[in-house]
């Protein structure tokens, strides 16, 4: 599935799927599962030990490539990578 973003009057529009979830979340979850198949929505990925700092770095690289963005080092903190929703929220600010 291809992520489609449109800009209208300097406002970013995120296309949603039929279930009302953002297409970005679907794409992010797919990328995360490619890095680590144990990643799941709705859990604290760091506290549960599903991902560690090395995997955060891999996730950042994959997200930067997929969304053609650069995630500044100061944004690569545990708080921004605790859950799938927090990762999506970070990306929505950057895209």
């Amino acid at each position: 599935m291809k992520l489609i973003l449109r800009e209208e009057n300097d406002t970013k529009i995120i296309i949603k799927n039929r279930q009302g979830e953002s297409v970005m979340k679907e794409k992010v979850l797919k990328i995360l599962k490619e890095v680590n198949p144990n990643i799941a929505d709705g859990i604290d990925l760091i506290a549960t030990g599903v991902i560690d700092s090395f995997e955060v770095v891999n996730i950042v690289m994959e997200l930067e490539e997929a969304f053609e963005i650069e995630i500044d080092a100061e944004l690569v903190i545990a708080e921004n990578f605790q859950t799938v929703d927090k990762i999506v929220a970070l990306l929505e600010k950057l895209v």
Side-chain angles (χ1 to χ4, degrees), residues 30-44:
K30 181 179 177 186
I31 293 165
L32 294 175
K33 287 186 174 284
E34 288 173 3
V35 173
N36 180 334
N38 296 318
I39 290 175
D41 194 13
I43 64 169
D44 188 323

Side-chain angles (χ1 to χ4, degrees), residues 34-95:
E34 288 173 3
V35 173
N36 180 334
N38 296 318
I39 290 175
D41 194 13
I43 64 169
D44 188 323
L45 302 171
I46 295 174
T48 57
V50 173
I51 62 172
D52 59 21
S53 59
F54 294 110
E55 282 185 313
V56 169
V57 172
N58 288 337
I59 289 168
V60 167
M61 291 187 319
E62 293 296 327
L63 294 172
E64 286 179 331
E65 182 178 323
F67 291 98
E68 298 178 357
I69 59 170
E70 187 172 320
I71 301 173
D72 292 328
E74 68 247 10
L75 297 174
V76 183
I77 56 174
E79 180 180 314
N80 288 334
F81 292 86
Q82 278 181 305
T83 65
V84 173
D85 286 336
K86 287 190 176 189
I87 296 169
V88 171
L90 172 66
L91 291 173
E92 286 178 343
K93 292 177 191 174
L94 299 174
V95 175

Side-chain angles (χ1 to χ4, degrees), residues 11-29:
T11 303
K12 291 179 184 165
I13 298 171
I14 303 207
I15 307 300
K16 296 186 180 266
N17 67 12
R18 291 182 189 170
Q19 291 79 29
E21 295 177 338
S22 77
V23 176
M24 179 179 285
K25 184 172 180 176
E26 289 179 9
K27 184 172 182 175
V28 168
L29 197 50

